[in-house]
Amino acid sequence: MMTLRRTTIAIAALAVAAAGASGQSIADQYQATATRIAAAALSDSAAWNRIAELTEKFGNRFSGSQSLEQAIDWVLAQMKADGLDNVHGESVMVPHWVRGAESAEMVAPRRQNLPMLGLGGSIATPAGGITAEVMVVTSYDDLARRAAEAKGRIVLFNVPFPVTGEPFVNYGNTVRYRSGGAVAAARAGAVASMIRSVTPYSVRTPHTGGMSYDSTVAKIPHFAITAEDADMIARLTARGETVRVHVTMSAQTLPDAPSRNIIGELRGRERPDEVVVIGGHIDSWDVGRGAMDDAGGVVAAWQALRILKALGLQPRRTIRVVGWTNEENGARGGRGYRDAHTAEAGKHQLIMESDDGVFRPLGFGFTGSDSAFALMQQVGSLLNVVGAGAVTRGGGGTDIEPTMALGVPGAGLTTDPSRYFWFHHTEADTVDKLDPADVARCAAVLAIVAYVTADMGPRLPR
């Protein structure tokens, strides 16, 4: 009871401090500014157009690729042309996995091509490929019970992504077969493993993503097929048919390659050494064009600074936009940012990431102290101007978690998740999947949160 009382008193004191001499709350103090920012963001489709230009000019931007580095050069040049401050790249070494030629075909009980994607980090098959009978399992427990049947076979993990429930929770429950399936299958004696693509909706489009090996278990090729084909194979085997698949993969892992995190700023007028960070990741998988995942997050954050600059809004603290590299298959960019800025971690007011697709924004999740959360709820109320005022506990992301681990409060933009995993890590991740008005709303949310947290008087308590 005493602890609760102290916390309540502390939060009340912070609310008084946040109101300042005028007696206004943060919400009242910045409501007119938030309305101006939202109106500017929604006045055109500049953010969507820039996503289109970036993704169609350079295509996918996989770590180690020339297209990623060319895209980084272009963004840096455009940021300088926009008049942003301190524009530069920060060096990071990244993994370099190359997919190469690959294919899969069902050869019995009849011949049929199987659209497929090798999973990032997989080894290649032998030069002539692998042909083997398929064993269908529905879980790791199912594989363990029937492990004696797996030797010499290709194991198919046919684990559906639920179509109801919270999509990101469902993803977490099914993606583990993508990340660890090769190890479990190899331990049982399989010669290769394949998964049902991790998605609740499919038009016979395979989904890629990262996977891992265990040094104590033999490495076997690991790839994804479509949900439709996984179900077909499961039905065939359930009827007593013997299904055989031929797979050929030429993937290879090359030495680490140089890349960069993108940095651009709007310098603070009073406390320029204190920073609010917003951003997304500039890399993508090597399929599609990475519009949703995550050119949209980078561009929405970049657009936020362009909006503030156009409106002549210079906050007390510096706002820094970051385009992290290598989120998809190594998270080196997030760790590289932490390492480059550890000495100034205490000067970070907030770090915020957008990596859930720039669909209709709902609000943001926040990770920090109770008293900081109380302040961020006031900030969040300003987002009602674009229908995105939901502030929840728990926010972060792959790129910002290393810096958050140093004690920096973190937030993640929350968007409508209903279609995200339809296109995630596929050839279908293109700009047409995004609504220009939703992208503009996301830019408005990032601009409002960044400006208010950078300009308000109090520091977010650690």
Side-chain angles (χ1 to χ4, degrees):
M1 287 296 293
M2 185 62 71
T3 300
L4 177 62
R5 184 180 178 189
R6 288 193 186 112
T7 301
T8 303
I9 292 171
I11 292 173
L14 276 165
V16 171
S22 66
Q24 290 183 306
S25 67
I26 287 175
D28 290 338
Q29 185 179 353
Y30 290 101
Q31 187 61 66
T33 302
T35 301
R36 283 182 66 206
I37 292 171
L42 296 172
S43 67
D44 58 35
S45 299
W48 188 94
N49 289 335
R50 188 154 263 181
I51 297 169
E53 184 175 5
L54 169 61
T55 58
E56 292 169 353
K57 186 178 183 71
F58 301 103
N60 61 65
R61 303 165 306 282
F62 196 42
S63 292
S65 69
Q66 185 179 33
S67 61
L68 172 60
E69 299 313 308
Q70 290 173 336
I72 291 171
D73 287 340
W74 182 81
V75 173
L76 291 170
Q78 295 298 313
M79 283 184 168
K80 289 177 181 176
D82 288 341
L84 298 189
D85 303 314
N86 193 29
V87 175
H88 65 282
E90 294 182 346
S91 296
V92 181
M93 295 298 291
V94 299
H96 191 188
W97 179 80
V98 178
R99 178 178 303 280
E102 58 184 16
S103 65
E105 182 185 19
M106 184 175 72
V107 295
R110 61 180 176 83
R111 302 189 79 92
Q112 178 178 306
N113 177 60
L114 300 175
M116 59 84 77
L117 285 171
L119 296 171
S122 175
I123 64 167
T125 62
I130 293 172
T131 303
E133 183 178 342
V134 176
M135 173 187 177
V136 181
V137 299
T138 58
S139 66
Y140 284 136
D141 288 342
D142 187 22
L143 175 60
R145 284 191 298 269
R146 300 167 52 207
E149 303 172 40
K151 188 173 182 179
R153 293 187 178 183
I154 298 173
V155 169
L156 166 60
F157 293 94
N158 186 32
V159 185
F161 189 121
V163 295
T164 59
E166 208 288 312
F168 282 90
V169 173
N170 293 339
Y171 176 72
N173 290 334
T174 50
V175 75
R176 60 199 186 105
Y177 296 97
R178 187 189 79 197
S179 58
V183 173
R187 187 172 283 122
V191 294
S193 59
M194 58 183 176
I195 64 163
R196 175 197 183 103
S197 286
V198 184
T199 180
Y201 174 79
S202 180
V203 287
R204 211 158 175 247
T205 304
H207 296 233
T208 191
M211 53 84 64
S212 60
Y213 289 115
D214 184 326
S215 61
T216 66
V217 180
K219 295 181 179 180
I220 60 174
H222 193 39
F223 62 103
I225 61 173
T226 70
E228 296 93 327
D229 289 339
D231 280 340
M232 175 191 69
I233 292 172
R235 287 191 295 269
L236 285 168
T237 58
R239 296 184 197 118
E241 299 274 10
T242 297
V243 176
R244 294 178 67 81
V245 165
H246 175 77
V247 58
T248 301
M249 297 170 61
S250 58
Q252 57 181 319
T253 298
L254 302 177
D256 285 359
S259 189
R260 293 155 290 170
N261 286 332
I262 296 167
I263 305 289
E265 294 179 345
L266 182 62
R267 188 169 174 80
R269 70 180 190 275
E270 289 181 8
R271 308 179 202 170
D273 59 328
E274 297 181 12
V275 295
V276 169
V277 177
I278 55 174
H281 64 87
I282 187 62
D283 67 305
S284 72
W285 274 100
D286 59 337
V287 294
R289 301 185 198 124
M292 178 195 77
D293 185 21
D294 183 36
V298 174
V299 171
W302 176 8
Q303 180 70 3
L305 264 65
R306 296 176 73 225
I307 292 165
L308 297 177
K309 189 173 179 66
L311 293 175
L313 294 171
Q314 184 181 16
R316 287 185 173 90
R317 302 174 183 85
T318 293
I319 302 175
R320 176 180 296 156
V321 61
V322 180
W324 286 278
T325 195
N326 185 232
E327 187 272 348
E328 293 293 5
N329 69 325
R332 302 275 186 88
R335 295 198 296 272
Y337 180 86
R338 173 203 61 198
D339 294 344
H341 298 275
T342 296
E344 61 179 276
K347 296 288 189 178
H348 279 57
Q349 167 86 327
L350 175 72
I351 188 165
M352 183 172 184
E353 180 174 1
S354 171
D355 188 22
D356 289 350
V358 280
F359 297 106
R360 180 174 60 88
L362 306 177
F364 61 88
F366 176 77
T367 298
S369 66
D370 289 343
S371 47
F373 183 70
L375 293 177
M376 292 304 293
Q377 285 180 302
Q378 292 189 54
V379 175
S381 69
L382 296 167
L383 304 179
N384 288 321
V385 70
V386 289
V391 181
T392 58
R393 279 288 196 183
T398 300
D399 291 311
I400 66 176
E401 284 169 358
T403 302
M404 290 172 61
L406 300 177
V408 176
L413 178 66
T414 306
T415 60
D416 178 358
S418 58
R419 294 188 302 136
Y420 182 77
F421 291 107
W422 292 13
F423 314 115
H424 184 244
H425 297 179
T426 72
E427 292 284 5
D429 184 359
T430 51
V431 73
D432 53 282
K433 308 307 186 302
L434 302 173
D435 182 333
D438 285 341
V439 175
R441 291 184 186 99
C442 288
V445 168
L446 292 170
I448 291 167
V449 172
Y451 178 76
V452 175
T453 55
D455 190 68
M456 67 188 193
R459 292 287 308 276
L460 291 176
R462 299 293 177 92

